[in-house]
């Protein structure tokens, strides 16, 4: 079984990256695990040309194809996202927009192989869970259109810096136990 963990933040050394490190270490005990940072890839924004609605392919050729290939290889996908103005970072949103050829709302559409399970971890600096719920909702909406089964989520509030993750490690480890 293959697990794929994506740090949806462009920051490779922050709190989101630290959470990803914990998740990766736990999942490696049970899965062949690959992890990336969204900033490992360079891809253009969706042009909105809708060519993919007729061809199920994007007209652009860039690193997007490498990233979607990682989703295809995975049985389990874990997206870990911080809050950028109460939602997912723009870099991850740009990736989601480029997934339009895989979106199940039009025919023809490309498709990932079936049976994939998706998990989400959202974090924010403030104390209200509402922002985390919005991030989780955005990612689960994305999963739904790619027919990735939403299997679990967790929100972590009041985390701004990498060092603050240590106080929440037990919660993260417990969540990792639910990843199947």
């Amino acid at each position: 079984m293959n697990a794929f963990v994506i740090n949806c933040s462009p920051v490779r050394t922050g709190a989101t990256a630290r959470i990803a490190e914990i998740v990766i270490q736990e999942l490696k005990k049970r899965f062949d695990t690959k992890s990336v940072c969204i900033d490992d890839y360079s891809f253009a924004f969706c042009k909105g040309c809708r060519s993919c609605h007729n061809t199920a392919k994007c007209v652009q050729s860039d690193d997007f194809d490498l990233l979607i290939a990682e989703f295809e290889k995975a049985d389990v996908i874990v997206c870990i996202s911080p809050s950028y103005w109460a939602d997912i970072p723009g870099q991850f949103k740009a990736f989601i927009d480029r997934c339009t050829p895989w979106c199940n709302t039009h025919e023809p559409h490309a498709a990932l192989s079936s049976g994939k399970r998706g998990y989400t971890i959202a974090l924010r600096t403030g104390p209200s869970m509402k922002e985390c719920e919005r991030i989780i909702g955005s990612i689960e909406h994305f999963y739904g259109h790619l027919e990735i089964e939403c299997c679990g989520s967790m929100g972590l509030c009041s985390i701004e810096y990498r060092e603050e993750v240590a106080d929440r490690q037990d919660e993260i480890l417990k969540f990792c136990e639910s990843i199947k």
Side-chain angles (χ1 to χ4, degrees), residues 4 24 32-33 70-71 78-79 90 101 116 131 134-135 138 149 152-153 155:
F4 179 58
I24 293 157
D32 289 328
T33 305
E70 296 300 337
F71 276 74
V78 182
C79 290
K116 296 184 183 307
E131 269 185 45
R134 183 172 174 172
I135 293 162
S138 291
E149 181 184 358
S153 63

Side-chain angles (χ1 to χ4, degrees), residues 2-9 16-28 31-38 40-41 67 70-71 74-81 92 117 119-121 143 172 175-176 179:
N2 296 314
F4 179 58
V5 179
I6 182 168
N7 172 358
C8 300
S9 168
T16 307
R18 179 63 192 127
I19 293 167
E21 291 166 3
I22 294 167
V23 171
I24 293 157
Q25 285 307 113
E26 269 312 292
L27 294 186
K28 280 184 176 180
F31 299 97
D32 289 328
T33 305
K34 170 130 190 205
S35 66
V36 300
C37 176
I38 191 70
D40 292 342
Y41 300 87
L67 185 51
E70 296 300 337
F71 276 74
D75 301 297
V76 169
I77 298 160
V78 182
C79 290
I80 306 170
S81 179
F92 190 60
R117 294 176 310 285
Y119 297 84
T120 305
I121 299 175
Y143 284 162
I172 298 164
F175 178 75
C176 289
I179 298 174

